Amino acid sequence: ICCKVRGDLVDALKRLYQKVETFDGVIIETTGLADPAPVVQTFFAETNDGEDSLERMYKLDSVITVTDAKYIIDRLDEEKPEDTDNEAEQQVCFADKIILNKTDLVTDETELANIEKRLRSLNPQAPILRCQHSQISPKELLNIGAFDLERVLEFDPYFLGEFKQPRHDQSVSSLSTKVEGEVNMSLLDNWIRRLLHDDGEALYRYKGIIAVKGMEKKFIFQGVGHFFSGTFGGQWKNTEKRQSAFVFIGKNLSTEMLKAGFEACREMKELRFSIGTNVRANVGTFQLGKVIDQWDSGNAYRIRLRDGKEIFAPVDINEYVRAA
């Protein structure tokens, strides 16, 4: 959730409580841009002190903040416009425990120690746990009883006063969209490479699930800045609509450019050459061959050359394959 939906959160938690015997607890995940204060305030700000108040229904166990070892110092040092909050700083300050993730991307132990020192300067009491790929024992996250209201009041004396309104940097925005249809893996790969090269520094977080033409599994990707990872996992069900969904969060994002770039990767038209068609394939020079399959492993064509060698033509354009 984001930090502006307090009313929705209250309603959802009260509805959940009607089924309280079916679960042990509730985990609330905020967006990467959320100020945690309004979310935490939700459990203390109700004027109604009756049995149906959240403070009677739930006990706040802990606030866990996951920090990116590669980028956290950049986020903390980022200059914000006047009268706006630095969300990264707020998230560190409110944490009862800090997970320092992606430590494999910072190979210098001295640098890691300095990162921890910076985090402790903002929040001296929160334990810092190092990890890679977010691999950490659930016992470090659940039922730890770490939330301390007195500590919060030390750095935010007005926490229990008037409900805090988030003050976000308006240059930071997000794009979330769903697109029906499938994409060409080669075009998608080229688009992502160009995007990270040109705008990687401005991309705070991005992730998505993509339907790739010719693949029965979903392409799942995520990343921060220039660091991108993606893999195929999770089978498309026969009853499931093949569509792509992705989210980008960053600074001065051109949402129209992002949408247009992704649209250009979609594979909407019929392939020009059917199986069995003789073609000329580009292997440095154009050589004669025959189309023996379509959409094999995400490639538009699999072609067998005259010498018996088999190659892929990833995209159905003349630069890769032409009529014989």
Side-chain angles (χ1 to χ4, degrees), residues 186-248:
S186 181
L187 295 178
L188 179 69
D189 183 61
N190 288 334
W191 174 62
I192 290 175
R193 288 177 186 274
R194 289 197 305 271
L195 183 64
L196 298 187
H197 179 270
D198 296 341
D199 300 305
E201 291 297 331
L203 295 173
Y204 292 173
R205 190 78 170 92
Y206 47 92
K207 51 187 174 182
I209 299 175
I210 307 297
V212 175
K213 188 77 172 179
M215 299 296 291
E216 294 305 314
K217 291 187 176 182
K218 302 172 183 179
F219 181 67
I220 303 167
F221 74 87
Q222 63 171 331
V224 176
H226 293 287
F227 289 87
F228 171 91
S229 65
T231 185
F232 284 96
Q235 202 85 4
W236 288 101
K237 298 177 182 177
N238 293 333
T239 57
E240 196 173 4
K241 183 182 293 185
R242 290 178 70 99
Q243 61 181 8
S244 299
F246 58 86
V247 177
F248 284 89

Side-chain angles (χ1 to χ4, degrees), residues 59-62 142-148:
K59 177 184 176 183
L60 187 58
D61 181 66
S62 60
L142 304 175
N143 298 321
I144 59 177
F147 181 75
D148 184 354

